[in-house]
Amino acid sequence: QVQVVESGGGLVQAGGSLRLSCTVFGLRFDDYTMGWFRQAPGKEREAVSCIDWYGIEIKYEDSVKGRFTISRDNAQNTLYLQMNNLKPEDTAMYYCAVDKSGGWYYTDFLAGKFEGYWGQGTQVTVSS
């Protein structure tokens, strides 16, 4: 059984930093594209970033470019999201996702059009 477990969320002031982690159990971690999504209250879920299985191909949503960095440690089965210069509009529940397809279909992934494994989310709150 595959389990996806996020951690690292919390309350931070604007301009601060947080590092989210996502550990996956029950599958060969380095075979899959992975990424982060977020959903703010009253809004639709949106993609934040994704990374290929080698950690070479990376995509970011425009509003986080230059502030967020996605990375992965395949030996530790863990995906990371380093978030710097946080803004109140970054407040959301952040979810980790694994694309089951095994391919680098980043357009579909960022549009949420994939079959995948999801975590329960970790809350990020940025105060002004």
Side-chain angles (χ1 to χ4, degrees):
Q1 184 176 357
V2 177
Q3 283 187 299
V4 180
V5 181
E6 303 101 333
S7 62
L11 172 63
V12 64
Q13 288 187 332
S17 298
L18 284 173
R19 188 194 197 200
L20 306 185
S21 299
C22 168
T23 302
V24 181
F25 304 92
L27 57 69
R28 184 183 168 92
F29 185 81
D30 55 2
D31 280 348
Y32 301 96
T33 291
M34 297 189 63
W36 293 93
F37 289 75
R38 66 186 180 185
Q39 187 167 20
K43 294 187 177 181
E44 293 189 354
R45 185 182 65 194
E46 64 173 359
V48 175
S49 182
C50 63
I51 187 170
D52 75 341
W53 50 93
Y54 294 119
I56 296 175
E57 297 286 345
I58 290 173
K59 300 294 181 183
Y60 294 101
E61 190 265 333
D62 286 345
S63 69
V64 307
K65 285 180 181 177
R67 301 188 298 122
F68 290 11
T69 302
I70 192 171
S71 62
R72 64 192 294 164
D73 183 342
N74 289 341
Q76 298 296 322
N77 275 27
T78 301
L79 177 74
Y80 301 100
L81 185 68
Q82 177 67 44
M83 306 186 295
N84 297 329
N85 191 21
L86 282 159
K87 303 176 180 181
E89 52 264 42
D90 294 317
T91 295
M93 185 71 80
Y94 282 70
Y95 298 92
C96 174
V98 182
D99 181 353
K100 287 183 179 180
S101 74
W104 175 237
Y105 307 116
Y106 67 89
T107 301
D108 286 345
F109 187 92
L110 294 174
K113 297 177 180 178
F114 65 96
E115 288 192 19
Y117 302 104
W118 294 83
Q120 294 299 306
T122 185
Q123 178 67 40
V124 172
T125 303
V126 185
S127 63
S128 57

